[in-house]
């Protein structure tokens, strides 16, 4: 295994404990990615030809992202396919960059507490899978990206703020030069993806006292309203920048809808209060 920062500001570390059950990796990273500069700490092996990277995410802390990735090089703007999650946040992301230097496309879905992740490469076709148990898989992405014969495949973590260090723990990490488990074309549920213009994160979710609302690379003023499931307005406010904190300590347990207006666009998020 080799570990690298895809950008110097990631300033990451990696510790591998092979004697723990199934081998354990602990990764850290700081810094903040943009669509054209990946700020990850990446633990990887070289993969030549077809193959699979698979991993189980045990824990992620400090609001960061963690996941599996295949990329053509460790350059911050390299061609890439990845899957990342925050475990307890309901949103997961498939990211891909089809040409060096272009913007990363982030495709968002709602899927909480997914721990098993897998990417398969067959020629220039890449497929992303996830699982709740490591045996039954759902296909979340399939696309064609022209990469070199030999690429890098492994696990990574990413912070969301330049001043915060994310931490992630993985086990059952493998990189193999075949399509592992034989489930590339059969027995999987294909999930359709929608492109999310804004990368919006709400955590922790469920929450009991305070929620962080984070919007990557935002410079616009954001207004929001919070309503209960009967449509009653519970609270509203506005902020500028990439992050704000919402006090929900006085909210009754239940499901709430947060309606955000950003640059003329309307985005809604669900919040569970415990």
């Amino acid at each position: 295994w080799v570990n690298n920062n895809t950008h110097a500001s990631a300033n990451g570390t990696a510790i591998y404990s092979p004697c723990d059950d199934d081998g354990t990796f602990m990764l850290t990273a700081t810094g903040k990615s943009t669509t054209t500069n990946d700020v990850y700490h990446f633990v990887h092996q070289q993969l030549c030809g077809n193959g699979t990277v698979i991993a189980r995410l045990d824990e992620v802390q400090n609001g960061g992202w963690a996941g599996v990735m295949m990329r053509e090089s460790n350059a911050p703007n390299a061609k890439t396919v990845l899957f990342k999650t925050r475990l307890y946040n309901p949103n997961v992301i498939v990211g891909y960059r089809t040409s060096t230097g272009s913007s990363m496309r982030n495709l968002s879905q709602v899927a909480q507490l997914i721990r098993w992740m897998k990417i398969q490469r067959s020629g220039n076709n890449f497929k992303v899978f996830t699982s709740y148990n490591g045996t039954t898989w759902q296909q979340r992405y399939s696309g064609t990206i022209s990469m070199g014969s030999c690429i890098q495949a492994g696990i990574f973590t990413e912070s969301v703020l330049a001043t915060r260090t994310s931490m992630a723990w993985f086990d059952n990490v493998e990189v193999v030069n075949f399509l592992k488990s034989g489930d590339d074309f059969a027995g999987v549920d294909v999930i359709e993806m929608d492109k999310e213009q804004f990368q919006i994160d709400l955590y922790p979710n469920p929450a009991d006292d305070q929620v962080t609302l984070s919007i990557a690379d935002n410079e616009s003023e954001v207004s929001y309203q919070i309503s209960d499931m009967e449509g009653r307005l519970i609270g509203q406010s506005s902020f500028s920048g990439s992050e704000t904190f919402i006090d929900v300590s006085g909210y009754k347990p239940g499901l709430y809808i947060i309606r955000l207006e950003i640059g003329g666009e309307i985005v809604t998020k669900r919040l569970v209060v415990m």
Side-chain angles (χ1 to χ4, degrees):
W1 294 101
V2 178
N3 65 303
N4 295 99
N5 296 313
T6 59
H7 192 282
S9 62
N11 194 29
T13 63
I15 298 173
Y16 178 46
S17 302
C19 295
D20 291 350
D21 291 343
D22 301 312
T24 299
F25 292 83
M26 195 279 278
L27 280 62
T28 70
T30 56
K32 180 181 176 181
S33 295
T34 67
T35 57
T36 54
N37 280 290
D38 303 333
V39 183
Y40 310 144
H41 194 66
F42 185 31
V43 174
H44 56 89
Q45 293 182 3
Q46 187 178 65
L47 174 66
C48 294
N50 298 339
T52 305
V53 56
I54 186 171
R56 177 187 175 274
L57 179 62
D58 184 60
E59 186 61 84
V60 59
Q61 294 183 3
N62 284 352
W65 293 96
V68 292
M69 178 164 60
M70 290 185 179
R71 60 190 299 125
E72 193 168 48
S73 75
N74 287 322
N77 58 0
K79 298 175 186 177
T80 300
V81 176
L82 63 82
F83 175 86
K84 61 184 181 181
T85 176
R86 285 174 153 173
L87 285 183
Y88 304 103
N89 187 291
N91 293 319
V92 298
I93 287 178
V94 172
Y96 64 91
R97 182 181 291 114
T98 57
S99 61
T100 302
S102 66
S103 293
M104 179 81 76
R105 291 196 64 188
N106 292 307
L107 307 178
S108 179
Q109 292 181 8
V110 175
Q112 201 167 1
L113 290 174
I114 288 178
R115 297 185 184 274
W116 289 89
M117 303 163 283
K118 176 171 64 176
I119 302 176
Q120 293 181 337
R121 180 192 190 184
S122 179
N124 288 323
N125 179 256
F126 293 83
K127 287 183 167 66
V128 176
F129 300 86
T130 62
S131 174
Y132 287 102
N133 56 17
T135 56
T136 302
W137 296 87
Q138 291 180 316
Q139 181 181 308
R140 294 188 173 271
Y141 170 79
S142 178
T144 299
I145 302 175
S146 178
M147 293 195 194
S149 175
C150 293
I151 62 173
Q152 309 301 328
I155 56 178
F156 74 100
T157 190
E158 171 193 11
S159 183
V160 294
L161 291 175
T163 57
R164 181 182 296 167
T165 300
S166 67
M167 296 173 284
W169 286 261
F170 295 85
D171 54 41
N172 291 276
V173 182
E174 294 181 87
V175 175
V176 295
N177 60 352
F178 57 92
L179 302 183
K180 188 174 175 63
S181 301
D183 56 6
D184 187 41
F185 298 106
V188 295
D189 297 322
V190 178
I191 299 176
E192 297 296 330
M193 308 285 290
D194 292 321
K195 184 177 185 294
E196 186 173 85
Q197 181 177 357
F198 303 99
Q199 184 174 318
I200 302 173
D201 300 306
L202 194 66
Y203 61 91
N205 193 5
D208 56 5
D209 56 358
Q210 180 176 275
V211 174
T212 299
L213 176 61
S214 175
I215 306 176
D217 303 322
N218 179 62
E219 297 179 354
S220 304
E221 182 173 357
V222 179
S223 60
Y224 64 88
Q225 296 179 338
I226 303 175
S227 303
D228 64 17
M229 292 307 294
E230 295 182 5
R232 293 184 293 244
L233 181 65
I234 305 300
Q236 59 185 340
S237 188
S238 63
F239 67 97
S240 296
S242 60
E243 188 173 78
T244 192
F245 303 97
I246 303 173
D247 182 7
V248 297
S249 59
Y251 288 26
K252 295 180 180 179
L255 179 63
Y256 295 84
I257 302 297
I258 301 181
R259 180 182 184 273
L260 302 102
E261 184 172 350
I262 313 167
E265 299 290 334
I266 303 298
V267 181
T268 59
K269 291 290 183 181
R270 294 184 181 184
L271 169 66
V272 177
V273 176
M274 300 173 61

